[in-house]
Amino acid sequence: YEYVVPEINENSCMGDVKARGVVERTFGDAVDAYERATRTWLTSKSDDVSVDAGHERDSAREAVCKAFDALDPYVRARTLYHRLESI
């Protein structure tokens, strides 16, 4: 076990309220798009529409994941595990 000392500004993003707001809106929009795509997928009657809606839902899911990765530094502090690159 080796303790890695935190860098001085390692959590500086958490104080940037303006940028956090932009990233939060992007994340919210991605979640809304995912929910819409899921509703379309669930309510589709034909197989062709269901397949297309499934692809759209998969794309929307990827957008949510990317948006969360962008939001993460603004809402969660870095830890020892981040410094050790365990997560």
Side-chain angles (χ1 to χ4, degrees):
Y1 171 78
E2 181 180 331
Y3 180 73
V4 179
V5 179
E7 294 179 20
I8 293 173
N9 293 322
E10 114 180 324
N11 293 314
S12 62
C13 285
M14 295 182 81
D16 190 351
V17 177
K18 187 175 182 179
R20 177 182 171 166
V22 170
V23 176
E24 282 179 333
R25 281 188 296 281
T26 302
F27 177 72
D29 292 345
V31 169
D32 291 342
Y34 178 72
E35 288 177 351
R36 280 192 306 275
T38 300
R39 275 190 224 98
T40 302
W41 177 64
L42 288 172
T43 59
S44 59
K45 302 291 183 196
S46 72
D47 290 339
D48 292 338
V49 174
S50 180
V51 169
D52 291 341
H55 292 306
E56 182 182 336
R57 182 175 178 261
D58 290 342
S59 297
R61 181 181 51 82
E62 289 297 321
V64 169
C65 291
K66 288 179 183 177
F68 180 78
D69 287 344
L71 177 62
D72 185 55
Y74 295 96
V75 296
R76 184 168 57 144
R78 304 299 91 185
T79 67
L80 173 65
Y81 299 108
H82 292 95
R83 287 181 232 121
L84 294 175
E85 297 181 2
S86 296
I87 55 175

